[in-house]
Amino acid sequence: MAPLRWGIISAGKISHDFTNALSTWPKEDHQVVAVSARKLDDAQKFAKLHGIAKAYEGYESLAKDADVDVVYIGAINTTHYEIGMMMLDHGKHVLCEKPLCMNEGQSKRLLAHAKEKNLFLMEAIWSRFFPSYILLKQRIDSGELGEIKEVDVQFGFYLSDVDRLRLKGLGGGTVLDLGVYTIQVILWAFRGAPTKVVAKGQLNEEGVDMEVSAELHFPGGGVAKMQTSGLKKLENKAVIRGSKGTFTLHDFWCPVSLTDIDGSHKEFPLPPAPHSFNFPNSCGLRFEAEETRRCIREGRLESETVPHGESLLIARIQDQIRQQIGVQFPEDAQFKA
């Protein structure tokens, strides 16, 4: 069977890490055939480093490239919707970095368009494909954790000098950048939508959130507490408490270690890659790439692990949090859910 042929959108840090992680799979399974960036020079440098045959300026040329089966969108948040629509219009399957779009309204339209075009689309919530998350799911499904009572998760780093987080025009704020991770692990544990979301936050002079704390209440009395910060490093772990035990994901957004319900420590090391990575445990991006290949080969339009409905629910919760703390983007008026 021919390899899945990837086009990489944007030549930034996360695209480097994804492409590097992708190269740890056999060439018979995955192949990067093209990269595009806003500046040709950036695309060419990226192509040279990763041994990619084609480098394009702008995204339309890549969209029109008949050799590309699927695209990975690693561009900034505000561009996801427009680029995603363009790629779908040109018959490309899509793996799009989180957050999928700026709000639920955009996400709804993008996902509906993928279905209309009969193409696979997944929000790149890579965390869920790590062996640690798969083990957590097994513990919940088997009943070993009992009824889920509480999830406590924090995610924070000093990021207040990082433009994509700091600036409203780049779709900044911790809810979109970090909150997507905390929300998805809460939903992974509770398996349903919250009945109530209560949030408070601290905004910067741009009017985007630099710190947020929220409680998500679930049917049956379960409560999740999440905290995000771009001002300081937090514990960055997720603790899932059930009626029969506790399960902890360390570095929960990319966990290679966990504390199991019996108190034992388990490790899941990642393979070596040809280049160094920009972000921790980025070799784990390989798992979502393989899920993308599997789904496309099987003719699926969505992944059971990050289904479309879940991406919409995450976007809805993000919208609710932003509404409560007073963070608004131009897209909110333009694309109503």
Side-chain angles (χ1 to χ4, degrees):
M1 196 178 276
L4 186 64
R5 299 171 301 173
W6 289 86
I8 307 293
I9 303 280
S10 174
K13 288 180 178 177
I14 192 64
S15 292
H16 164 86
D17 282 8
F18 179 81
T19 306
N20 196 25
L22 201 57
S23 70
T24 63
W25 291 116
K27 291 252 187 304
E28 301 80 51
D29 293 342
H30 296 272
Q31 199 179 349
V32 179
V33 296
V35 58
S36 66
R38 281 174 303 172
K39 296 177 187 158
L40 182 60
D41 187 45
D42 291 344
Q44 286 171 334
K45 279 180 191 159
F46 191 98
K48 189 178 178 188
L49 178 69
H50 291 286
I52 301 166
K54 289 182 265 192
Y56 295 118
E57 181 173 14
Y59 308 127
E60 202 172 338
S61 304
L62 189 142
K64 291 175 174 171
D65 188 332
D67 293 334
V68 174
D69 303 315
V70 59
V71 295
Y72 167 80
I73 301 175
I76 57 166
N77 298 347
T78 48
T79 65
H80 289 182
Y81 176 75
E82 195 183 325
I83 295 171
M85 289 298 241
M86 181 198 292
M87 296 302 149
L88 292 169
D89 280 338
H90 286 86
K92 309 302 183 208
H93 301 289
V94 174
L95 175 65
C96 181
E97 259 314 326
K98 66 222 130 345
L100 182 62
C101 293
M102 292 296 291
N103 58 20
E104 189 191 356
Q106 278 192 340
S107 300
K108 260 187 179 163
R109 289 164 178 80
L110 186 64
L111 291 165
H113 198 52
K115 285 225 163 96
E116 277 164 29
K117 295 284 185 184
N118 207 34
L119 291 163
F120 174 81
L121 190 154
M122 183 172 83
E123 183 177 11
I125 299 179
W126 65 313
S127 314
R128 291 186 168 187
F129 301 99
F130 275 75
S132 305
Y133 272 74
I134 293 160
L135 184 63
L136 170 59
K137 187 176 187 296
Q138 285 167 357
R139 293 280 181 264
I140 295 169
D141 289 352
S142 67
E144 290 170 90
L145 256 177
E147 188 189 344
I148 303 302
K149 299 285 190 187
E150 199 180 308
V151 174
D152 201 342
V153 56
Q154 321 88 30
F155 199 15
F157 291 102
Y158 180 76
L159 296 164
S160 53
D161 56 348
V162 177
D163 283 352
R164 70 178 163 78
L165 196 100
R166 187 175 64 83
L167 299 176
K168 183 171 260 191
L170 298 182
T174 65
V175 169
L176 290 187
D177 202 77
L178 306 174
V180 61
Y181 285 108
T182 58
I183 294 164
Q184 67 79 23
V185 75
I186 289 166
L187 298 179
W188 190 244
F190 277 109
R191 304 293 157 78
T195 51
K196 186 171 73 166
V197 176
V198 186
K200 58 181 194 287
Q202 180 184 334
L203 313 189
N204 68 4
E205 65 288 348
E206 284 266 324
V208 297
D209 54 287
M210 295 312 289
E211 287 199 312
V212 169
S213 57
E215 275 192 5
L216 282 64
H217 295 258
F218 288 84
V223 179
K225 295 174 182 175
M226 60 168 264
Q227 192 183 350
T228 60
S229 178
L231 302 176
K232 58 181 179 282
K233 190 172 192 290
L234 300 177
E235 284 194 359
N236 298 341
K237 66 181 182 183
V239 182
I240 297 94
R241 296 184 182 94
S243 55
K244 293 183 184 173
T246 299
F247 191 103
T248 304
L249 295 165
H250 305 287
D251 293 331
F252 80 96
W253 76 103
C254 56
V256 291
S257 70
L258 61 89
T259 304
D260 209 344
I261 46 177
D262 61 359
S264 66
H265 190 75
K266 292 186 169 60
E267 304 250 348
F268 300 92
L270 293 161
H275 307 288
S276 58
F277 289 99
N278 293 302
F279 303 111
N281 301 338
S282 270
C283 198
L285 292 162
R286 67 199 298 273
F287 301 126
E288 66 179 7
E290 180 58 15
E291 170 74 357
T292 301
R293 186 179 81 99
R294 188 180 68 83
C295 289
I296 291 169
R297 290 285 177 254
E298 291 174 6
R300 294 170 185 260
L301 300 186
E302 58 187 301
S303 162
E304 288 173 358
T305 307
V306 188
H308 291 183
E310 191 96 335
S311 287
L312 288 177
L313 178 55
I314 291 167
R316 191 174 314 139
I317 294 166
Q318 286 176 319
D319 287 358
Q320 287 172 341
I321 291 171
R322 286 196 297 109
Q323 205 172 1
Q324 289 182 34
I325 62 177
V327 176
Q328 280 189 312
F329 293 111
E331 290 85 356
D332 296 332
Q334 198 183 346
F335 296 91
K336 295 203 181 299

